Amino acid sequence: MSVLTWTIILVSITFALYIGIAIWSRAGSTKDFYVAGGGVSPLANGMATAADWMSAASFISMAGLISFMGYDGGVYLMGWTGGYVLLALLLAPYLRKFGKFTVPDFIGDRYYSNVARTVAVICAVIVSFTYVAGQMRGVGVVFSRFLEVDINTGVYIGMALVFVYAVLGGMKGITYTQVAQYCVLIFAYMVPAFFISMIMTGNIIPQFGFGDTINDGSGMYLLDKLDQLHTDLGFAEYTSGSKSMIDVFAITFALMVGTAGLPHVIVRFFTVPKVSDARKSAGYALLFIAVLYTMAPAIAAFARTNLINTVSEQPYAEMPQWFTSWEETELIKFNDKNGDGIIQYVANPEANELTIDADIMVLANPEIANLPNWVIALVAAGGLAAALSTAAGLLLVISAAISHDLIKKQINPDISDKAELWWARGGAVFAVIVAGYFGINPPGFVAATVALAFGLAASSFFPAIILGIFDKRMNREGAVAGMVVGILLMLFYMVKYKLQGFGGGTPDDWWLGISPEGFGTVAMVFNLVVAVVVSRMTAAPPEDVQELVEDIRIPQGAGDASAH
Amino acid sequence: MLKLSAENKDQLTRIATPNMTNEKRQAYWRRNLRYLFILLFIWFLVSYVFGIFLVEPLNQIRLGGFKLGFWFAQQGSIYVFVVLIFVYVRWMNKLDKEFDVDEI
């Protein structure tokens, strides 16, 4: 059977499964809609969190990025996993004990202020929208490459599907579809990884094959071989990287703290019954994520070696089929500068004749390694699962921000549960449409800002939540001032160095040599300092709020997540 | 600044969690903070110290086909992170039992 037939079969089966689950688990109350009724087991929540968290970027782009960055790619690996340690130790149990529906709920109640609540809503919406647009685009790309439909048609199909299970099922529908999506995506990631590891090193486990000898008779370790290939072609050594140490530190830290501050991840910990379950499910979530994240750098190294061996100094006319089919999508470009018909792939931009988009490495990897057609189709289904699960989680945050944090908490507190549920559904519809619009008409800044969503989360939410739990003296004035300073500073730096606003600037002008991706760390420090200083100069929070802080520190009596 | 007397405060907190005195509450929190400090110290050590600051010297040491610093940055730190969370879960469950604040 052809790749296309296999893809249609696998994608149809998985989509039918997601819809079936959504119908079975549709939401009957706002509590179902926001926190899946609060009765999700830690294991299921761990899986759902893993799928929620691992987006099209993790599945499709990350291994490709690492394979072009080498050692520097570690910023993503450490940054996007280390954040779970912070989440498990510093946030999840306390927020679960607090027991409300959303992150702005916590900010609003802890800082006894609707201003703080509104600032949190705005931050949540900015972070979630920048993120979700990239997911819809990812769905479109997978559809267009593997099902041979137009990118826009792909986006419409994705919208329709998310519409069914997010609007109908709310958090309850999303949770159980995400469990299924995790299984699909991890299987789709593992199968080609095992195959390639086996072919290249004779070791079936990629994490070990990564450090094993390469199967080309040379007896060299794979990574040594790769370093040598890199040096020969004039690239920096694969295992050394080229970013400055301070920037690697800043990016890793911003990604970790940003991960812990992402509202769609935090809200997942409201769905388990007990505080101890929140801790445990953070552990499961990281375990499930680590399966993919420890495999990704191995895939990156395999793909890089394979690629160099396949194309470097080889005649263009003898390139395999995948080369030409990706050339058609313009993600591979060959320009025979010296006219010798042979591909020169080197570091020197004057002499280099080949440009390759990092995004294709995972998708093209099975083809490069000549794997069976069903494996290629499986990767397509996995990419869709990753993109859809994340999109759904983000849409729910946006919908809850509208129906719960704005309408229920601020505009019309007397609204009935039923009416609020309708608002929540309406909010989800609105969010799906906006996300689809950005998927079809991607503004130039989306690609640039997806990575920066983490910086925004790091510079706004993280300090406000942490201080809300660990610093009893933190008050409304401090938290609001901190969040506003943090997010504005981050936005300013982003606009200045990414979009060339405010006079623009080059990497030479970066503060302390820190890139916009890593600037979340600096903005977060500003947020912390401003918050602490301002809070010490203004009145202490009222007694009942200090009691609330005492209360969330003790696990007993968590009860159900409630709207009061 | 509003200040309540010690007994008053104790009374209020007792309403929230009936079987806990203020001292017990403080002791529980201090132990929690100590656990956090230990675990986050290791978290920082394996990722930032081994994977970033000391990556060059550690790369002189080999772990099979890996340079050690590189291994920490792309593999080792992630394994340690997973272990850290499960250790935390264990310690906290024990602590909750000891202070009788575990949930039924």
Side-chain angles (χ1 to χ4, degrees), chain B residues 1-102:
Chain B
M1 196 179 115
L2 209 93
K3 232 180 184 167
L4 286 179
S5 70
E7 308 113 78
N8 254 342
K9 223 173 180 177
D10 204 40
Q11 218 170 18
L12 281 168
T13 48
R14 235 180 271 138
I15 297 163
T17 41
N19 52 7
M20 226 177 178
T21 62
N22 227 344
E23 295 82 66
K24 234 180 124 189
R25 192 180 267 284
Q26 296 306 327
Y28 174 86
W29 187 243
R30 270 197 307 273
R31 281 274 289 281
N32 181 12
L33 292 181
R34 199 169 81 213
Y35 291 164
L36 293 185
F37 181 81
I38 297 169
L39 295 169
L40 288 177
F41 177 79
I42 300 173
W43 165 82
F44 190 83
L45 191 73
V46 293
S47 50
Y48 295 102
V49 178
F50 293 168
I52 298 176
F53 301 134
L54 296 182
V55 69
E56 292 296 328
L58 283 178
N59 273 345
Q60 307 304 318
I61 305 168
R62 305 281 303 207
L63 185 78
F66 292 109
K67 292 174 178 170
L68 193 59
F70 177 84
W71 182 80
F72 266 109
Q74 300 214 338
Q75 295 275 299
S77 55
I78 304 175
Y79 298 131
V80 177
F81 293 155
V82 176
V83 173
L84 286 178
I85 299 185
F86 282 103
V87 169
Y88 170 72
V89 169
R90 230 186 118 84
W91 284 357
M92 288 309 282
N93 284 347
K94 268 196 185 154
L95 187 67
D96 289 353
K97 273 220 176 65
E98 193 185 319
F99 280 78
D100 198 23
V101 290
D102 53 328

Side-chain angles (χ1 to χ4, degrees), chain A residues 70-71 78 82 94 207 210-211 221 224 237 239 249 253 256 275 279 294 297 543 547 550-551 553 555-556, chain B residues 4 12 16 25 28-29 32 43 48 51 62 65-67 73-75 77 79 81 85 88 96 100-101 103:
Chain A
Y71 162 78
M78 290 188 284
Y94 310 107
Q207 285 89 339
F210 190 20
Y221 283 118
D224 292 339
E237 263 191 359
T239 54
F249 168 79
F253 202 84
M256 281 199 193
V275 172
R279 297 178 192 136
T294 51
E543 199 61 35
E547 240 175 81
E550 284 287 346
D551 192 54
R553 292 177 176 184
Q556 199 172 49
Chain B
L4 286 179
L12 281 168
R25 192 180 267 284
Y28 174 86
W29 187 243
N32 181 12
W43 165 82
Y48 295 102
R62 305 281 303 207
F66 292 109
K67 292 174 178 170
Q74 300 214 338
Q75 295 275 299
S77 55
Y79 298 131
F81 293 155
I85 299 185
Y88 170 72
D96 289 353
D100 198 23
V101 290
E103 302 149 284

Side-chain angles (χ1 to χ4, degrees), chain A residues 70-411:
Chain A
Y71 162 78
D72 291 343
V75 297
Y76 299 119
L77 296 164
M78 290 188 284
W80 284 338
T81 53
Y84 276 85
V85 178
L86 299 177
L87 196 59
L89 272 55
L90 303 178
L91 303 178
Y94 310 107
L95 291 176
R96 174 61 195 88
K97 174 66 193 292
F98 172 69
K100 297 290 168 56
F101 287 160
T102 65
V103 174
D105 245 354
F106 176 77
I107 305 270
D109 285 8
R110 168 62 181 82
Y111 297 115
Y112 45 98
S113 144
N114 272 341
V115 176
R117 194 188 303 273
T118 308
V119 171
V121 168
I122 294 169
C123 296
V125 170
I126 294 178
V127 170
S128 301
F129 265 129
T130 47
Y131 212 140
V132 82
Q135 304 306 317
M136 293 317 257
R137 195 70 189 165
V139 172
V141 170
V142 174
F143 265 104
S144 71
R145 172 62 184 85
F146 291 98
L147 291 165
E148 293 169 19
V149 295
D150 185 53
I151 288 195
N152 291 354
T153 316
V155 175
Y156 291 131
I157 299 173
M159 277 170 73
L161 188 72
V162 173
F163 184 85
V164 170
Y165 68 73
V167 175
L168 203 71
M171 189 56 131
K172 204 170 162 199
I174 287 176
T175 302
Y176 295 105
T177 37
Q178 279 173 341
V179 170
Q181 282 160 338
Y182 176 76
C183 299
V184 172
L185 83 87
I186 202 70
F187 186 65
Y189 208 78
M190 279 162 86
V191 170
F194 280 25
F195 266 112
I196 294 170
S197 181
M198 191 69 204
I199 293 170
M200 293 196 63
T201 65
N203 194 329
I204 194 162
I205 310 290
Q207 285 89 339
F208 300 138
F210 190 20
D212 212 331
T213 51
I214 189 166
N215 252 350
D216 62 354
S218 66
M220 280 174 88
Y221 283 118
L222 178 100
L223 286 167
D224 292 339
K225 174 84 185 176
L226 190 51
D227 278 346
Q228 194 197 337
L229 286 172
H230 263 224
T231 326
D232 290 349
L233 298 174
F235 294 104
E237 263 191 359
Y238 187 81
T239 54
S240 296
S242 48
K243 280 190 199 298
S244 72
M245 188 182 284
I246 183 156
D247 201 25
V248 169
F249 168 79
I251 297 176
T252 309
F253 202 84
L255 293 179
M256 281 199 193
V257 172
T259 295
L262 282 179
H264 73 287
V265 175
I266 294 177
V267 77
R268 288 235 49 99
F269 294 93
F270 290 90
T271 66
V272 293
K274 295 189 293 182
V275 172
S276 56
D277 291 338
R279 297 178 192 136
K280 207 191 292 174
S281 81
Y284 283 131
L286 183 58
L287 179 67
F288 293 133
I289 290 168
V291 174
L292 191 146
Y293 271 63
T294 51
M295 227 180 288
I299 292 181
F302 297 149
R304 184 75 185 159
T305 315
N306 236 340
L307 178 79
I308 294 177
N309 281 335
T310 312
V311 302
S312 180
E313 297 299 324
Q314 301 296 322
Y316 177 66
E318 287 172 23
M319 280 298 113
Q321 170 62 36
W322 61 263
F323 192 93
T324 2
S325 54
W326 283 103
E327 253 187 323
E328 279 160 23
T329 62
E330 300 201 334
L331 294 173
I332 289 183
K333 288 190 197 113
F334 173 62
N335 170 14
D336 197 0
K337 288 178 187 154
N338 58 6
D340 63 356
I342 290 177
I343 300 173
Q344 267 88 37
Y345 179 52
V346 290
N348 177 2
E350 303 280 300
N352 181 37
E353 301 178 339
L354 187 69
T355 45
I356 303 163
D357 191 289
D359 275 354
I360 70 169
M361 294 307 278
V362 165
L363 298 176
N365 215 5
E367 297 171 274
I368 298 178
N370 270 319
L371 298 185
N373 285 344
W374 65 271
V375 177
I376 300 169
L378 192 60
V379 172
L384 288 172
L388 291 170
S389 56
T390 307
L394 290 161
L395 292 173
L396 200 83
V397 167
I398 299 168
S399 114
I402 296 171
S403 63
H404 188 71
D405 300 318
L406 282 182
I407 292 177
K408 166 90 180 171
K409 285 305 178 83
Q410 306 202 34
I411 297 171

Side-chain angles (χ1 to χ4, degrees), chain A residues 494-526:
Chain A
M494 253 169 74
V495 170
K496 184 166 170 70
Y497 292 109
K498 276 280 173 183
L499 306 174
Q500 300 301 320
F502 302 117
T506 62
D508 292 333
D509 308 325
W510 288 349
W511 301 3
L512 305 168
I514 293 173
S515 60
E517 286 79 7
F519 194 73
T521 303
V522 179
M524 185 202 74
V525 172
F526 270 89

